[in-house]
């Protein structure tokens, strides 16, 4: 395929790309784990993205919700002193992205969700945690990580 792109003749040659839920999950998590304040523009506050933002607040990030942007002040430490409950709503991305992040907290983390979220396959994590001798329990309506993920070689 060949494409020719000619210079724009527009007065304001800026293009706003539609928001990507997939990239927004990742950007929110990275911002929460980074030092300082991060700004994510052109964010769509879908239920899934709100679930990830709320989870990052539980982890200790400070979140300011703008009209079409979000400011996130990163956490000081991933170690937590209290039991954590994370409501993933129906977001498979929130659950799958946050299992490894929250497994580093060092204590019990309970993930809950709506609909059929907890019935979705999680065999990759079940195998990883089993191989690393780290506790991960799946129940009908929740998934529990109890203690830190053990360091080592992971395949």
């Amino acid at each position: 395929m060949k494409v020719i792109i000619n210079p724009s003749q527009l007065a304001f040659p800026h293009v706003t790309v539609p928001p990507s839920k997939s990239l927004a999950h990742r950007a929110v998590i990275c911002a929460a784990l980074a030092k300082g304040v991060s700004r994510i523009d052109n964010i769509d506050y879908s239920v899934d993205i709100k679930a990830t933002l709320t989870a990052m607040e539980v982890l200790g990030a400070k979140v300011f919700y703008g009209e079409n942007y979000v400011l996130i002040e990163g956490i000081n430490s991933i170690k937590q002193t209290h039991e954590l409950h994370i409501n993933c709503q129906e977001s498979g991305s929130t659950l799958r992205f946050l299992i490894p992040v929250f497994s580093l907290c060092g204590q019990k983390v309970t993930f809950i969700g709506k609909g059929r979220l907890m019935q979705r396959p999680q065999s990759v994590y079940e195998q990883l945690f089993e191989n690393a001798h780290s506790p991960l329990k799946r129940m009908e309506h929740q998934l529990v990580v109890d203690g830190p993920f053990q360091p080592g070689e992971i395949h």
Side-chain angles (χ1 to χ4, degrees):
M1 172 197 247
K2 290 186 177 184
V3 177
I4 298 175
I5 301 175
N6 295 311
S8 172
Q9 302 300 315
L10 299 172
F12 299 101
H14 296 280
V15 176
T16 301
V17 177
S20 164
K21 190 167 63 168
S22 177
L23 292 177
H25 283 292
R26 290 167 171 84
V28 166
I29 294 166
C30 289
L33 297 175
K35 290 182 181 177
V37 177
S38 301
R39 178 181 172 127
I40 303 169
D41 287 309
N42 196 28
I43 193 162
D44 180 14
Y45 290 115
S46 68
V47 174
D48 290 6
I49 296 303
K50 287 180 185 176
T52 298
L53 284 163
T54 301
M56 294 297 93
E57 288 179 296
V58 169
L59 192 59
K62 293 178 178 63
V63 178
F64 171 79
Y65 297 84
E67 186 173 326
N68 65 346
Y69 68 94
V70 63
L71 296 176
I72 301 173
E73 183 178 338
I75 61 173
N76 292 323
S77 172
I78 201 148
K79 297 294 181 190
Q80 300 294 311
T81 58
H82 58 284
E83 189 172 317
L84 302 167
H85 296 273
I86 309 303
N87 187 345
C88 298
Q89 300 294 334
E90 291 187 75
S91 176
S93 294
T94 299
L95 177 62
R96 289 186 183 110
F97 290 157
L98 295 184
I99 289 171
V101 171
F102 277 87
S103 71
L104 299 173
C105 291
Q107 81 283 327
K108 185 176 182 179
V109 182
T110 303
F111 294 93
I112 60 169
K114 293 183 178 176
R116 297 184 33 83
L117 179 63
M118 292 303 159
Q119 282 78 47
R120 292 184 189 175
Q122 298 299 331
S123 57
V124 170
Y125 287 125
E126 291 169 339
Q127 189 65 50
L128 282 173
F129 278 78
E130 181 181 321
N131 290 347
H133 307 291
S134 294
L136 180 136
K137 298 177 198 165
R138 284 191 68 184
M139 291 159 257
E140 187 176 349
H141 299 291
Q142 62 186 14
L143 185 145
V144 178
V145 176
D146 194 359
F149 189 78
Q150 300 301 314
E153 191 172 325
I154 299 173
H155 297 276

